[in-house]
Amino acid sequence: MKSISIKGQERESVGKSATKAARNAGLVPCVIYGGDKPVHFTAEEKSFRNLVYTPNVHTVAIDLGSQTVDAVLQDIQFHPVSDRILHIDFFQLHQDKEITMEVPVKISGTAKGVLAGGVLRLNQRKLKVRALPSNLPDFVEVNVSNLDMGNKLYVTEVEADNFKLLHADNTVVAQVRMSRAAMKAAQEAAKVAKGGK
């Protein structure tokens, strides 16, 4: 999985007034959990652009000067009106401990049912995976080539090499449905067949 770097400064005071002052200075208050103790730090709001406003998923190398912590985004709070980032929680990665993350689904191939006039519907845009940090995929590839009209692709049919998919076996990832135009044509054909008898 791709990693992005964020430069931050550790925070000593974490009270309301210190947090407000940090936000007024264009900084985002953050916390890293999962280590010996929580690490509080701030970083410039613009440094989170490639992490937050993207469909892709990344691990984060947080450079705090005295140490660099590998982590993943766990939770984020936005201002209800201005949509600015108010607070971010990170979870520290340990190379020997598995972690759970949501990863985007990437479609490959062209479904037979689409070639026959159907419409491909992606039911799951992200899938929850569990893996060691070094095995986390950038995306989960889903091959839809064998899907005929009306077929569904279940999570059990998705290849998962070095990671586990944490979904019920009956979870539908993608399906091919009949398009409205094809449905209308079939109804018209049925009416003609009835009338012709």
Side-chain angles (χ1 to χ4, degrees):
M1 178 172 282
K2 293 188 189 83
S3 180
I4 62 170
S5 299
I6 286 174
K7 201 161 179 52
Q9 298 91 30
E10 283 194 56
R11 292 200 297 161
E12 297 303 317
S13 49
V14 292
K16 272 189 177 174
S17 57
T19 301
K20 192 175 180 184
R23 286 194 188 115
N24 288 342
L27 300 172
V28 178
C30 306
V31 185
I32 307 168
Y33 295 105
D36 298 333
K37 60 182 197 298
V39 177
H40 296 268
F41 73 98
T42 55
E44 287 186 28
E45 191 172 0
K46 65 181 180 191
S47 59
F48 297 107
R49 199 172 296 140
N50 295 336
L51 177 67
V52 178
Y53 306 107
T54 174
N56 303 322
V57 184
H58 302 284
T59 56
V60 188
I62 302 165
D63 178 4
L64 298 172
S66 60
Q67 60 173 331
T68 299
V69 181
D70 289 322
V72 289
L73 180 74
Q74 192 170 36
D75 190 31
I76 186 164
Q77 292 165 359
F78 293 98
H79 190 281
V81 178
S82 68
D83 220 24
R84 287 184 61 187
I85 301 169
L86 291 179
H87 186 87
I88 301 180
D89 288 347
F90 290 96
F91 189 79
Q92 186 170 348
L93 294 177
H94 300 279
Q95 292 309 318
D96 57 341
K97 286 185 188 168
E98 289 189 330
I99 186 157
T100 302
M101 271 187 93
E102 283 201 335
V103 175
V105 171
K106 185 180 180 184
I107 296 288
S108 68
T110 304
K112 293 176 190 170
V114 169
L115 295 173
V119 176
L120 180 71
R121 180 155 178 253
L122 188 59
N123 295 48
Q124 303 289 329
R125 295 200 178 280
K126 288 189 173 181
L127 289 173
K128 197 176 273 191
V129 303
R130 185 164 186 79
L132 290 170
S134 57
N135 293 335
L136 283 170
D138 288 324
F139 53 81
V140 176
E141 191 164 334
V142 176
N143 190 328
V144 296
S145 304
N146 294 327
L147 284 183
D148 277 318
M149 189 83 76
N151 284 168
K152 294 177 179 175
L153 182 96
Y154 293 95
V155 76
T156 50
E157 301 167 68
V158 176
E159 275 187 47
D161 292 337
N162 296 324
F163 56 88
K164 292 186 209 90
L165 289 164
L166 305 179
H167 291 270
D169 289 353
N170 63 351
T171 302
V172 176
V173 180
Q175 65 188 74
V176 177
R177 302 175 96 169
M178 192 182 275
S179 67
R180 285 201 179 108
M183 212 179 283
K184 199 171 182 185
Q187 287 168 347
E188 294 295 326
K191 275 184 196 169
V192 170
K194 260 188 185 171
K197 282 182 183 174

